[in-house]
Amino acid sequence: MPTAKKKLTPLRSICPIAGTLDLIGDRWTLLVIRDLFRGLKRYGEFAASPEGIPTNILAERLVRLEANGIIASEPYQKNPTRYAYALTPKGLSLKTVLGALGQWGARHVSGTKIPAEMAALFRET
Amino acid sequence: MPTAKKKLTPLRSICPIAGTLDLIGDRWTLLVIRDLFRGLKRYGEFAASPEGIPTNILAERLVRLEANGIIASEPYQKNPTRYAYALTPKGLSLKTVLGALGQWGARHVSGTKIPAEMAALFRET
DNA sequence: GACTGTTACTTGTTTTTTGCAAGTGACATG
DNA sequence: CATGTCACTTGCAAAAAACAAGTAACAGTC
């Protein structure tokens, strides 16, 4: 796993919406989670997504998501050890959030389009 | 209405999730929208929320939300003209997003608690 | 076995955004 | 007319993001 730096993130309030945003409410984190739902697993795959996340940001977000128990990493090779990332149950339960964001965007943000590969995320459960 | 500065925000991709995040995916915007769902209407009320949004950020977000058709402002007094803000239908349709974020937070972010005043947001529709 | 390429990061610097404090204009109240 | 309030605006320091390079450990080619 990448270098883990300790960083406290005290919650801004007891509001559960604010609490969620404190964990994943930045410009990039939810896009990494979206990619995990799409089946991507490796650093290079995330980096290749069309939004073009800066690599240092990606590395930091992966560390943070794992520290918060939203993703887990497992080595898939040695020398050098490389890790594949996957959503934990906690991360998987963000599906409703991604679904709501995606449906709203498809309806209200012009220029967006639901890719076929992502249709599963948008089906009602 | 506050001073409107033109600012282009080209979408990072055609993904509807990314598109939504480009509009409202920052540290503060969704908290303002939450406050509107809670019934708050005025600048001072938003500023008094427990998270303590910086006032310059609040002013800028109100302008942006109105420019994007998510909120609308109406004068409630003259000299000086003061505006009350309300969600448009487009803004109201973010309820599912807020609901999903809140439910996830209530379940997975320790230290959060659903205030009674906010319970309506969390009921399934 | 030196050379090229790939993967997964790390490091350094610039630019942008945020956060904080203080200031301003137009009143309303005492 | 002095003080207070409300809704902002402005200035500046601090933090985060963006961009560009660099690095380590191989694997494959010549």
Coordinates of all heavy atoms in Angstrom, one line a residue, chain B residues 3-56:
Chain B
T3 N -23.3 40.4 -6.3 CA -22.6 40.6 -7.6 C -22.3 39.3 -8.3 O -21.8 38.4 -7.7 CB -21.2 41.3 -7.3 OG1 -21.2 41.8 -6.0 CG2 -20.9 42.3 -8.3
A4 N -22.7 39.3 -9.5 CA -22.5 38.0 -10.3 C -21.2 38.1 -11.1 O -21.0 39.0 -12.0 CB -23.6 37.8 -11.2
K5 N -20.3 37.2 -10.9 CA -19.1 37.2 -11.7 C -19.2 36.0 -12.7 O -19.6 34.9 -12.3 CB -17.8 36.9 -10.9 CG -17.5 38.1 -10.0 CD -16.3 37.7 -9.1 CE -16.2 38.7 -7.9 NZ -15.3 38.2 -6.8
K6 N -18.9 36.3 -13.9 CA -18.9 35.2 -14.9 C -17.8 34.2 -14.7 O -16.7 34.6 -14.5 CB -18.8 35.8 -16.3 CG -20.0 35.7 -17.2 CD -20.3 34.3 -17.7 CE -21.8 34.0 -17.8 NZ -22.4 34.2 -19.1
K7 N -18.2 32.9 -14.7 CA -17.1 32.0 -14.6 C -17.5 30.7 -15.3 O -18.5 30.1 -15.0 CB -16.7 31.6 -13.1 CG -15.5 30.7 -13.0 CD -15.1 30.5 -11.6 CE -14.4 31.6 -11.0 NZ -13.8 31.3 -9.7
L8 N -16.8 30.3 -16.3 CA -17.1 29.1 -17.0 C -16.6 27.9 -16.2 O -15.6 27.9 -15.7 CB -16.3 29.1 -18.4 CG -16.9 30.0 -19.5 CD1 -16.3 29.6 -20.8 CD2 -18.4 30.0 -19.5
T9 N -17.5 26.9 -16.3 CA -17.1 25.6 -15.6 C -17.3 24.5 -16.6 O -18.4 23.9 -16.6 CB -17.9 25.3 -14.4 OG1 -19.2 26.1 -14.5 CG2 -17.2 25.7 -13.1
P10 N -16.3 24.3 -17.5 CA -16.5 23.2 -18.4 C -16.5 21.9 -17.7 O -15.8 21.7 -16.7 CB -15.2 23.3 -19.3 CG -14.2 24.1 -18.4 CD -15.0 24.9 -17.5
L11 N -17.3 21.0 -18.1 CA -17.4 19.7 -17.5 C -16.2 18.9 -17.7 O -15.6 18.9 -18.8 CB -18.6 18.9 -18.0 CG -20.0 19.6 -17.8 CD1 -21.1 18.8 -18.4 CD2 -20.3 19.9 -16.3
R12 N -15.8 18.1 -16.7 CA -14.6 17.3 -16.8 C -14.8 16.1 -17.7 O -13.8 15.5 -18.3 CB -14.1 16.8 -15.4 CG -13.5 17.8 -14.6 CD -13.2 17.3 -13.2 NE -14.4 17.2 -12.4 CZ -14.4 16.7 -11.1 NH1 -13.3 16.4 -10.5 NH2 -15.6 16.7 -10.5
S13 N -16.0 15.7 -17.9 CA -16.3 14.5 -18.7 C -17.8 14.5 -19.0 O -18.6 15.3 -18.4 CB -15.9 13.2 -18.1 OG -16.8 12.9 -17.0
I14 N -18.3 13.6 -19.8 CA -19.7 13.5 -20.0 C -20.4 12.6 -19.0 O -21.6 12.4 -19.0 CB -20.0 12.9 -21.4 CG1 -19.4 11.4 -21.5 CG2 -19.4 13.7 -22.5 CD1 -20.2 10.6 -22.5
C15 N -19.7 12.1 -18.0 CA -20.3 11.3 -17.0 C -21.3 12.1 -16.1 O -20.9 13.2 -15.7 CB -19.2 10.7 -16.1 SG -19.9 9.9 -14.6
P16 N -22.5 11.6 -15.9 CA -23.4 12.4 -15.2 C -23.1 12.6 -13.7 O -23.4 13.6 -13.1 CB -24.8 11.6 -15.3 CG -24.4 10.3 -15.8 CD -23.1 10.4 -16.5
I17 N -22.3 11.6 -13.2 CA -21.9 11.8 -11.8 C -20.8 12.9 -11.7 O -20.9 13.8 -10.9 CB -21.3 10.4 -11.3 CG1 -22.4 9.4 -11.2 CG2 -20.6 10.6 -9.9 CD1 -21.9 8.0 -10.8
A18 N -19.9 12.8 -12.6 CA -18.9 13.9 -12.7 C -19.5 15.3 -12.9 O -19.1 16.3 -12.3 CB -17.8 13.6 -13.7
G19 N -20.5 15.3 -13.8 CA -21.2 16.5 -14.1 C -21.9 17.1 -12.9 O -21.8 18.3 -12.7
T20 N -22.5 16.3 -12.1 CA -23.2 16.7 -10.9 C -22.1 17.3 -9.9 O -22.3 18.3 -9.3 CB -24.0 15.6 -10.3 OG1 -25.0 15.1 -11.2 CG2 -24.7 16.1 -9.0
L21 N -21.1 16.5 -9.8 CA -20.0 17.0 -8.9 C -19.4 18.3 -9.3 O -19.0 19.1 -8.5 CB -18.9 15.9 -8.7 CG -19.4 14.6 -8.0 CD1 -18.3 13.6 -8.1 CD2 -19.9 14.9 -6.6
D22 N -19.3 18.5 -10.6 CA -18.8 19.8 -11.1 C -19.7 21.0 -10.7 O -19.2 22.1 -10.5 CB -18.7 19.8 -12.6 CG -17.5 19.0 -13.1 OD1 -16.6 18.7 -12.3 OD2 -17.5 18.5 -14.3
L23 N -21.0 20.7 -10.5 CA -21.9 21.8 -10.1 C -22.0 22.0 -8.6 O -22.0 23.1 -8.1 CB -23.3 21.5 -10.7 CG -23.5 21.7 -12.2 CD1 -25.0 21.6 -12.5 CD2 -22.9 23.0 -12.7
I24 N -22.1 20.9 -7.9 CA -22.3 21.0 -6.5 C -21.4 20.1 -5.6 O -21.6 20.0 -4.4 CB -23.8 20.5 -6.2 CG1 -24.0 19.1 -6.7 CG2 -24.8 21.4 -6.8 CD1 -25.3 18.4 -6.2
G25 N -20.3 19.6 -6.2 CA -19.5 18.7 -5.5 C -18.3 19.4 -4.8 O -17.1 19.0 -5.0
D26 N -18.5 20.3 -4.0 CA -17.5 20.9 -3.2 C -17.8 20.8 -1.7 O -18.8 20.2 -1.3 CB -17.2 22.4 -3.6 CG -18.4 23.2 -3.2 OD1 -19.4 23.1 -3.9 OD2 -18.4 23.9 -2.2
R27 N -17.0 21.4 -0.9 CA -17.1 21.2 0.5 C -18.3 21.9 1.1 O -18.8 21.5 2.2 CB -15.8 21.8 1.2 CG -15.5 21.4 2.5 CD -14.0 21.9 2.8 NE -13.8 22.1 4.3 CZ -13.8 21.0 5.1 NH1 -14.0 19.8 4.7 NH2 -13.6 21.2 6.4
W28 N -18.9 22.8 0.5 CA -20.0 23.6 1.1 C -21.3 23.7 0.4 O -22.4 23.8 1.1 CB -19.5 25.1 1.3 CG -18.4 25.2 2.2 CD1 -17.0 25.5 2.0 CD2 -18.4 25.1 3.7 NE1 -16.3 25.5 3.1 CE2 -17.2 25.3 4.2 CE3 -19.5 24.8 4.5 CZ2 -16.9 25.2 5.6 CZ3 -19.2 24.7 5.9 CH2 -17.9 24.9 6.4
T29 N -21.3 23.6 -0.9 CA -22.6 23.8 -1.6 C -23.7 22.9 -1.1 O -24.8 23.4 -0.9 CB -22.3 23.5 -3.1 OG1 -21.3 24.4 -3.6 CG2 -23.6 23.7 -3.9
L30 N -23.5 21.6 -0.9 CA -24.6 20.8 -0.5 C -25.1 21.1 0.9 O -26.2 20.7 1.2 CB -24.2 19.3 -0.6 CG -24.3 18.7 -2.1 CD1 -23.5 17.4 -2.2 CD2 -25.7 18.5 -2.4
L31 N -24.2 21.7 1.7 CA -24.7 22.1 3.0 C -25.7 23.3 2.9 O -26.6 23.4 3.7 CB -23.5 22.4 3.9 CG -22.6 21.2 4.3 CD1 -21.5 21.6 5.2 CD2 -23.5 20.0 4.8
V32 N -25.4 24.2 2.0 CA -26.3 25.3 1.8 C -27.7 24.7 1.3 O -28.8 25.1 1.8 CB -25.8 26.3 0.8 CG1 -26.8 27.3 0.4 CG2 -24.5 26.9 1.3
I33 N -27.6 23.8 0.4 CA -28.8 23.1 -0.1 C -29.6 22.4 1.0 O -30.8 22.5 1.1 CB -28.5 22.2 -1.3 CG1 -28.0 23.1 -2.5 CG2 -29.7 21.4 -1.8 CD1 -27.4 22.3 -3.6
R34 N -28.8 21.7 1.8 CA -29.4 21.1 3.0 C -30.2 22.1 3.8 O -31.3 21.9 4.2 CB -28.4 20.4 3.8 CG -28.9 19.8 5.2 CD -27.8 19.8 6.2 NE -27.3 21.1 6.5 CZ -26.3 21.4 7.4 NH1 -25.7 20.4 8.0 NH2 -25.9 22.6 7.6
D35 N -29.6 23.2 4.1 CA -30.2 24.3 4.9 C -31.5 24.8 4.2 O -32.5 25.1 4.9 CB -29.2 25.4 5.1 CG -28.2 25.1 6.1 OD1 -28.4 24.1 6.9 OD2 -27.2 25.9 6.3
L36 N -31.5 24.9 2.9 CA -32.7 25.3 2.2 C -33.8 24.2 2.4 O -35.0 24.6 2.6 CB -32.4 25.5 0.7 CG -31.6 26.8 0.4 CD1 -30.9 26.7 -0.9 CD2 -32.6 28.0 0.4
F37 N -33.4 23.0 2.4 CA -34.4 21.9 2.6 C -34.9 22.0 4.1 O -36.1 21.7 4.4 CB -33.8 20.5 2.4 CG -34.0 20.1 1.0 CD1 -32.9 20.0 0.1 CD2 -35.2 19.7 0.4 CE1 -33.0 19.6 -1.2 CE2 -35.3 19.3 -0.9 CZ -34.2 19.2 -1.7
R38 N -34.1 22.5 5.0 CA -34.5 22.6 6.4 C -35.4 23.8 6.5 O -35.9 24.1 7.6 CB -33.3 22.8 7.3 CG -32.5 21.5 7.5 CD -31.2 21.8 8.2 NE -31.4 22.6 9.5 CZ -30.6 23.5 10.0 NH1 -29.5 23.8 9.4 NH2 -30.9 24.1 11.1
G39 N -35.6 24.6 5.5 CA -36.4 25.8 5.6 C -35.7 27.1 5.7 O -36.4 28.2 5.8
L40 N -34.4 27.1 5.8 CA -33.7 28.4 5.9 C -33.8 29.1 4.6 O -33.8 28.5 3.6 CB -32.3 28.1 6.4 CG -32.0 27.3 7.6 CD1 -30.6 27.4 8.0 CD2 -32.9 27.7 8.7
K41 N -33.8 30.5 4.7 CA -34.0 31.2 3.5 C -33.0 32.4 3.3 O -32.8 32.8 2.2 CB -35.4 31.9 3.6 CG -36.5 30.9 3.3 CD -37.9 31.5 3.6 CE -39.0 30.6 3.1 NZ -38.7 29.2 2.9
R42 N -32.4 32.8 4.4 CA -31.6 34.0 4.3 C -30.2 33.8 4.6 O -29.8 32.9 5.4 CB -32.2 35.1 5.3 CG -33.6 35.3 4.9 CD -34.5 36.3 5.5 NE -34.0 37.1 6.6 CZ -34.9 37.9 7.2 NH1 -36.1 38.0 6.9 NH2 -34.4 38.7 8.2
Y43 N -29.4 34.7 4.0 CA -27.9 34.7 4.2 C -27.5 34.5 5.7 O -26.7 33.6 6.0 CB -27.4 36.1 3.7 CG -25.9 36.2 3.7 CD1 -25.3 35.9 2.5 CD2 -25.2 36.5 4.8 CE1 -23.9 36.1 2.4 CE2 -23.8 36.7 4.7 CZ -23.2 36.4 3.5 OH -21.8 36.5 3.5
G44 N -28.0 35.3 6.6 CA -27.7 35.2 8.0 C -28.0 33.8 8.6 O -27.3 33.3 9.4
E45 N -29.1 33.2 8.1 CA -29.5 31.9 8.6 C -28.5 30.8 8.2 O -28.1 30.0 8.9 CB -30.9 31.5 8.1 CG -32.0 32.5 8.7 CD -33.3 32.2 8.1 OE1 -33.4 31.8 6.9 OE2 -34.3 32.3 8.8
F46 N -28.1 30.9 6.9 CA -27.1 29.9 6.4 C -25.8 30.1 7.2 O -25.1 29.1 7.6 CB -26.8 30.1 4.9 CG -28.1 30.0 4.1 CD1 -28.3 31.0 3.1 CD2 -29.0 29.0 4.2 CE1 -29.5 30.9 2.3 CE2 -30.1 29.0 3.5 CZ -30.4 29.9 2.5
A47 N -25.4 31.3 7.3 CA -24.1 31.6 8.0 C -24.1 31.1 9.5 O -23.1 30.8 10.0 CB -23.8 33.1 8.0
A48 N -25.3 31.0 10.0 CA -25.4 30.6 11.4 C -25.4 29.1 11.6 O -25.4 28.6 12.8 CB -26.6 31.2 12.1
S49 N -25.4 28.3 10.6 CA -25.4 26.9 10.7 C -24.2 26.4 11.4 O -23.1 27.1 11.4 CB -25.5 26.2 9.3 OG -26.9 26.2 8.8
P50 N -24.3 25.2 12.1 CA -23.2 24.8 13.0 C -21.9 24.6 12.3 O -20.8 24.7 12.9 CB -23.7 23.5 13.5 CG -24.8 23.1 12.6 CD -25.4 24.3 12.1
E51 N -21.9 24.3 11.0 CA -20.6 24.1 10.3 C -19.8 25.4 10.1 O -18.6 25.3 9.9 CB -20.8 23.4 8.9 CG -21.3 22.0 9.0 CD -22.9 22.0 9.2 OE1 -23.5 23.1 9.0 OE2 -23.4 20.9 9.5
G52 N -20.4 26.5 10.2 CA -19.7 27.8 10.1 C -19.1 28.1 8.7 O -17.9 28.3 8.6
I53 N -19.9 28.1 7.7 CA -19.4 28.5 6.4 C -18.8 29.9 6.4 O -19.4 30.8 6.9 CB -20.5 28.3 5.3 CG1 -19.9 28.6 3.9 CG2 -21.7 29.2 5.6 CD1 -20.9 28.2 2.8
P54 N -17.6 30.1 5.8 CA -17.1 31.4 5.7 C -18.0 32.3 4.8 O -18.6 31.8 3.8 CB -15.7 31.2 5.0 CG -15.3 29.8 5.3 CD -16.6 29.0 5.4
T55 N -18.1 33.5 5.2 CA -19.1 34.4 4.5 C -18.8 34.6 3.1 O -19.8 34.7 2.3 CB -19.3 35.7 5.3 OG1 -18.1 36.4 5.3 CG2 -19.8 35.5 6.7
N56 N -17.6 34.7 2.7 CA -17.3 35.0 1.3 C -17.6 33.7 0.5 O -18.1 33.9 -0.7 CB -15.8 35.4 1.1 CG -14.8 34.4 1.7 OD1 -15.2 33.6 2.5 ND2 -13.6 34.5 1.3

